[in-house]
């Protein structure tokens, strides 16, 4: 269903009927103008003519919305083509409006690059020869992709630090809007739309008008009215109702219905998988996603484009949001630890090299006096064991790791790391100690005293293996839930969302060659994203009881059945649970008192 508020109703001239009235031959200039009008009025035909792509009716309507409104939002389900329609709009806008500067940004540079690369694929496709002729020079750097077209440009950049403030654009395309920091949108992005593209021309026109009014040749009412051509396009899946996307969605929806908002124009498109032609989406994927129930909150958000409150999962998404440190406040995500802080490292290894395997996951918690914060994560599917060892070396040398907890089957990974050339050259060997964290009462106190005598951070005796028994899983998950409910565990703020944090982090000397990232900027962005993804994984966890009363904590069945490389995973949730449990054990270890046994004797001479 499409709705237009009455304030947007206007008489639209039928360009095609007007062109039918033309008779005879046209001069070259008039022919060009006539062709431009026809192509602008028939966007579907234009796209097919210059790129060979045939648009569906809903895509053509969406493009018209983008052209005619200042603020545009597409809340579309997965598979509905948000990235595709943004790519089409980019080249159409530049063709019909010369000198247009389009800026593509997202929570990570990878997100922004995806739209840019989609545009490249369209231009390089057979049948897009006319479109390819419109584009000029193209440049790609680690921090910026730019393609010049018709006097303007399409630029993809990372939305981090202060650098974005130096860019100028009149069209903003923001992908994954739900992940963008609210403060960045208000203080950095929105000001882009204040300064018009044709400022110099406007000043010149106003000067001429002033002189004409002064000479009495025109009145104030006859001044030219400049149209605001600046635009923002927000693309996103649906989010939880407590997040900024929903807040912006409601605000823009209110502006559409408001009789007081007349200058700025708004367009909102909200479409689920069942709103688009059936042949444009893979039905098998929908059937698989629906296997867990079409009414589940994850399916409603991801595929039906419906906002949910997030209160129906074992780990409440809303409570985790409340436990997230606001952007601009510390602690923020870390790529190196603070010298005055202590850290817990949790590892859930995966030894498969298949891209569809589980993540090899790590989580690092920063300890405070009464709480702890997730500040660093690692998640790689199908990676090489040598690369995982490199990353362990990087975090162990750059964080003040006081305790390591690892899945019981992961001792081989630590042993392998100790035998690696990297660790041997550094004369570093991580040592194990036995620690039964499942004991209770007096037995647990005895265990703590015994462990405290073995544990030694100075000698790297800091690692213990955790057996995943049914009792441990129940206790550890209940404890994590309790810590979230009572705000004992927190999730770090985004480094990339706050200029001074980002600048400080990029000035650190980090061995990026030990990580899977190209530069320090990608490493920072990945940490911000992985902390968010950890919360997302937690929100998917379901608890079920077997016939024998044993509880299981896992992803919904329909998600577990997927074998694709992009399937949902839970390994960062597992390391968070492990790290949270280890933080409790470490605090207990610090607080337990071990009596020193002093034995003395009096020597006596025997004759």
């Amino acid at each position: 269903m499409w709705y237009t508020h009455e304030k947007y109703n206007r008489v639209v001239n039928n360009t095609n009927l007007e062109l039918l009235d033309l008779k005879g031959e046209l001069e070259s200039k008039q022919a060009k103008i006539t062709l431009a009008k026809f192509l602008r009025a028939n966007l579907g035909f234009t796209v097919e003519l210059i790129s060979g792509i045939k648009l569906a009716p809903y895509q053509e309507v969406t493009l018209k919305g983008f052209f005619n409104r200042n603020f545009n939002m597409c809340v579309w389900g997965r598979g509905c083509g948000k990235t595709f329609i943004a790519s089409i709009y980019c080249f159409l806008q530049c063709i019909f409006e010369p000198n247009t500067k389009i800026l593509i940004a997202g929570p990570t540079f990878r997100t922004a690059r995806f739209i840019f690369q989609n545009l490249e694929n369209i231009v390089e496709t057979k049948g897009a020869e006319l479109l390819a002729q419109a584009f000029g020079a193209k440049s790609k750097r680690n921090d910026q992709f730019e393609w010049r077209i018709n006097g303007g440009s399409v630029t993809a950049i990372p939305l981090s630090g202060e650098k974005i403030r130096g860019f100028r654009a009149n069209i903003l395309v923001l992908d994954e809007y739900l992940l963008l920091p609210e403060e960045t949108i208000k203080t950095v992005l929105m000001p882009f739309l204040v300064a018009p593209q044709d400022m110099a021309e406007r000043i010149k026109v106003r000067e001429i008008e002033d002189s004409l009014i002064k000479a009495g040749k025109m009145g104030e009412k006859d001044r030219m009215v400049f149209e605001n051509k600046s635009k923002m396009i927000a693309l996103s899946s649906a989010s939880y109702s407590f997040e900024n996307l929903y807040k912006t969605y409601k605000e823009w929806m209110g502006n559409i219905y408001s009789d007081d908002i007349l200058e700025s124009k708004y367009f909102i498109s909200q479409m689920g998988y069942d709103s688009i032609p059936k042949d444009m989406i893979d039905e098998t994927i929908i059937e698989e996603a629906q296997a867990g129930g079409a009414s589940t909150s994850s399916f409603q958000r991801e595929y039906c484009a419906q906002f949910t409150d997030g209160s129906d999962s074992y780990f409440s998404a809303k409570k985790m949001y409340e436990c997230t440190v606001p952007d601009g406040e510390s602690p923020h995500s870390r790529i190196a630890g603070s010298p005055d802080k202590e850290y817990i490292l949790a590892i859930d290894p995966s030894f498969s090299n298949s891209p569809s395997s589980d993540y090899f996951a790590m989580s690092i918690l920063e300890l405070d006096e009464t709480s702890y914060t997730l500040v660093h994560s690692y998640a790689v599917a199908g990676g090489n064991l040598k690369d995982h060892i490199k990353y362990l070396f990087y975090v162990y040398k750059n964080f003040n790791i006081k305790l390591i907890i690892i899945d019981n089957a992961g001792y081989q990974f630590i042993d392998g790391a100790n035998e690696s050339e990297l660790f041997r050259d550094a004369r570093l060997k991580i040592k194990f100690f036995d620690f039964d964290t499942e004991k209770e009462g007096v037995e647990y106190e005895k265990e703590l005293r015994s462990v405290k005598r073995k544990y030694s951070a100075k000698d790297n005796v800091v690692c213990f293996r955790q057996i995943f028994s049914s009792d441990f899983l129940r206790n550890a998950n209940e404890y994590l839930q309790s810590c979230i409910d009572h705000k004992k565990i927190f999730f770090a703020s985004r480094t990339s969302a706050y200029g001074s944090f980002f600048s400080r982090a990029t000035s650190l000397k980090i061995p990026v060659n030990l990580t899977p990232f190209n530069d320090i900027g990608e490493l920072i962005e990945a940490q911000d994203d992985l902390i968010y993804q950890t919360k997302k994984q937690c929100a998917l966890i379901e608890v079920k009881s077997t016939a024998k009363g044993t509880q299981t904590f896992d992803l919904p069945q329909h998600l577990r059945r997927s074998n694709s490389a992009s399937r949902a995973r839970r390994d960062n949730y597992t390391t968070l649970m492990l790290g949270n449990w280890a933080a409790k054990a470490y605090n207990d270890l610090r607080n337990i008192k071990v009596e020193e046994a002093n034995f003395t004797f009096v020597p006596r001479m025997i004759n």
Side-chain angles (χ1 to χ4, degrees):
M1 179 185 74
W2 295 95
Y3 169 78
T4 303
H5 192 271
E6 57 183 15
K7 69 181 179 182
Y8 291 142
N9 288 335
R10 59 187 176 87
V11 177
V12 179
N13 296 327
N14 191 322
T15 303
N16 293 343
L17 290 178
E18 291 179 357
L19 296 179
L20 284 174
D21 293 334
L22 293 175
K23 305 296 182 183
E25 294 184 0
L26 302 177
E27 295 180 357
S28 177
K29 182 178 179 180
Q30 187 181 8
K32 292 177 181 179
I33 294 174
T34 302
L35 176 61
K37 286 183 178 181
F38 173 77
L39 294 177
R40 175 64 178 80
N42 298 273
L43 296 179
F45 175 84
T46 304
V47 171
E48 187 172 5
L49 175 67
I50 65 177
S51 70
I53 296 173
K54 188 171 180 61
L55 297 178
Y58 82 94
Q59 293 172 325
E60 190 172 351
V61 171
T62 302
L63 288 172
K64 289 182 178 180
F66 289 172
F67 272 103
N68 297 323
R69 299 291 182 262
N70 305 113
F71 297 93
N72 304 272
M73 178 181 289
C74 286
V75 181
W76 287 5
R78 186 180 296 181
C80 291
K82 298 185 292 291
T83 301
F84 172 78
I85 202 66
S87 304
I88 296 292
Y89 170 74
C90 284
F91 72 71
L92 286 179
Q93 173 67 29
C94 290
I95 288 172
F96 287 120
E97 295 286 346
N99 305 316
T100 294
K101 292 186 180 296
I102 297 178
L103 196 64
I104 304 172
T108 65
F109 191 28
R110 183 181 67 251
T111 306
R113 285 198 310 251
F114 192 54
I115 294 180
F116 192 95
Q117 290 165 348
N118 202 282
L119 177 58
E120 281 185 310
N121 293 336
I122 293 173
V123 174
E124 294 168 2
T125 303
K126 184 178 180 181
E129 290 79 10
L130 282 176
L131 178 60
Q133 294 177 32
F135 284 88
K138 178 169 55 177
S139 65
K140 289 186 177 182
R141 303 202 308 260
N142 287 336
D143 60 348
Q144 180 182 328
F145 283 11
E146 184 180 61
W147 208 350
R148 298 195 175 277
I149 173 174
N150 201 17
S153 62
V154 179
T155 308
I157 63 166
L159 190 59
S160 53
E162 298 290 331
K163 183 175 181 180
I164 189 175
R165 297 178 187 272
F167 284 92
R168 289 293 175 265
N170 55 299
I171 306 290
L172 290 174
V173 179
L174 306 177
D175 201 9
E176 297 294 348
Y177 189 85
L178 79 163
L179 299 179
L180 297 180
E182 182 178 2
E183 190 65 21
T184 301
I185 294 171
K186 289 182 177 179
T187 62
V188 179
L189 297 176
M190 295 301 288
F192 275 103
L193 305 180
V194 175
Q197 178 186 4
D198 55 349
M199 178 64 78
E201 182 183 346
R202 293 190 182 195
I203 293 174
K204 186 177 180 180
V205 169
R206 288 295 182 236
E207 288 177 349
I208 295 173
E209 289 177 341
D210 289 342
S211 62
L212 289 174
I213 291 173
K214 189 175 182 180
K217 295 181 179 180
M218 74 175 278
E220 284 288 344
K221 62 181 177 59
D222 300 320
R223 285 185 181 273
M224 181 182 293
V225 177
F226 295 105
E227 182 183 359
N228 181 10
K229 295 183 179 180
S230 298
K231 301 180 189 298
M232 174 186 284
I233 298 174
L235 309 170
S236 184
S237 302
S239 69
Y240 295 108
S241 57
F242 51 81
E243 293 182 307
N244 183 54
L245 171 64
Y246 182 70
K247 176 183 174 183
T248 305
Y249 168 85
K250 294 294 289 183
E251 179 183 338
W252 289 12
M253 191 70 78
N255 290 341
I256 289 175
Y257 285 91
S258 174
D259 293 325
D260 298 326
I261 306 296
L262 299 176
E263 294 297 325
S264 298
K265 300 174 182 178
Y266 295 81
F267 168 77
I268 295 176
S269 175
Q270 187 173 7
M271 295 179 59
Y273 76 95
D274 52 354
S275 301
I276 66 175
K278 289 187 177 181
D279 57 350
M280 295 185 67
I281 197 165
D282 191 340
E283 288 293 331
T284 59
I285 295 176
I286 300 299
E287 289 175 2
E288 184 177 341
Q290 281 181 320
S295 61
T296 59
S297 61
S298 61
F299 183 80
Q300 289 293 311
R301 287 194 311 277
E302 296 290 335
Y303 292 94
C304 301
Q306 298 297 312
F307 295 95
T308 62
D309 63 11
S311 61
D312 57 347
S313 53
Y314 183 77
F315 299 106
S316 169
K318 185 174 183 179
K319 289 180 179 178
M320 284 188 286
Y321 176 81
E322 293 170 351
C323 288
T324 302
V325 180
D327 290 328
E329 296 183 14
S330 291
H332 55 86
S333 60
R334 310 280 193 197
I335 57 173
S338 297
D340 58 337
K341 294 292 184 180
E342 296 180 340
Y343 296 88
I344 301 291
L345 170 62
I347 306 173
D348 183 21
S350 171
F351 298 104
S352 172
N353 58 6
S354 169
S356 61
S357 66
D358 290 342
Y359 286 142
F360 192 112
M362 303 183 196
S363 289
I364 296 179
L365 299 181
E366 182 177 290
L367 302 182
D368 208 338
E369 292 182 2
T370 58
S371 62
Y372 16 95
T373 306
L374 176 66
V375 295
H376 190 97
S377 295
Y378 175 74
V380 173
N384 192 299
L385 184 60
K386 290 182 179 179
D387 295 329
H388 304 322
I389 290 173
K390 286 181 181 179
Y391 204 87
L392 174 63
F393 183 81
Y394 150 61
V395 296
Y396 197 80
K397 295 292 286 184
N398 286 275
F399 289 84
N400 182 22
I401 304 292
K402 290 298 184 179
L403 191 65
I404 299 176
I405 182 172
I406 190 169
D407 181 355
N408 185 51
Y411 71 92
Q412 297 171 342
F413 169 65
I414 299 297
D415 289 344
N418 289 332
E419 295 300 320
S420 69
E421 183 179 355
L422 197 61
F423 274 69
R424 283 191 282 108
D425 289 348
R427 296 182 179 179
L428 174 61
K429 185 175 183 179
I430 298 173
K431 301 169 187 174
F432 287 95
F433 62 90
D434 294 327
F435 192 1
D436 186 353
T437 61
E438 295 183 58
K439 290 183 177 180
E440 298 178 351
V442 176
E443 292 299 317
Y444 181 59
E445 289 186 10
K446 289 181 180 179
E447 181 71 9
L448 287 173
R449 292 191 180 93
S450 174
V451 168
K452 195 161 187 175
R453 294 188 182 97
K454 304 171 190 174
Y455 168 84
S456 173
K458 181 180 179 181
D459 298 323
N460 297 314
V461 185
V462 294
C463 186
F464 75 94
R465 294 169 290 181
Q466 179 61 54
I467 299 174
F468 278 41
S469 66
S470 58
D471 286 341
F472 162 73
L473 289 172
R474 186 188 71 253
N475 292 332
N477 278 284
E478 288 177 353
Y479 181 65
L480 177 58
Q481 185 189 54
S482 174
C483 287
I484 292 172
D485 289 348
H486 296 92
K487 294 186 177 181
K488 191 170 183 178
I489 187 170
F490 291 88
F491 301 89
S493 65
R494 289 173 283 202
T495 300
S496 59
Y498 193 64
S500 61
F501 289 165
F502 185 81
S503 298
R504 198 178 308 139
T506 52
S507 66
L508 296 173
K509 294 182 179 180
I510 300 298
V512 181
N513 61 307
L514 298 178
T515 75
F517 306 102
N518 296 319
D519 54 58
I520 198 168
E522 281 192 17
L523 177 58
I524 293 170
E525 287 182 343
Q527 291 312 308
D528 291 346
D529 182 56
L530 283 172
I531 290 173
Y532 173 81
Q533 294 301 329
T534 300
K535 292 185 288 183
K536 195 172 180 179
Q537 289 179 25
C538 289
L540 290 174
I541 296 300
E542 290 182 346
V543 56
K544 292 184 178 180
S545 297
T546 65
K548 294 183 178 180
T550 302
Q551 288 184 322
T552 61
F553 299 82
D554 210 336
L555 296 173
Q557 187 176 2
H558 69 285
L559 295 179
R560 297 201 305 271
R561 285 203 301 264
S562 175
N563 293 318
S564 70
S566 60
R567 67 183 179 87
R569 295 173 173 86
R570 63 178 185 124
D571 307 294
N572 290 103
Y573 138 74
T574 302
T575 54
L576 180 70
M577 176 196 67
L578 281 171
N580 187 64
W581 186 255
K584 169 185 175 296
Y586 180 68
N587 286 332
D588 292 340
L589 201 60
R590 286 193 302 184
N591 295 330
I592 196 74
K593 293 182 179 180
V594 178
E595 297 179 1
E596 297 292 338
N598 296 315
F599 297 97
T600 60
F601 67 96
V602 178
R604 185 171 60 179
M605 182 69 69
I606 299 177
N607 295 326

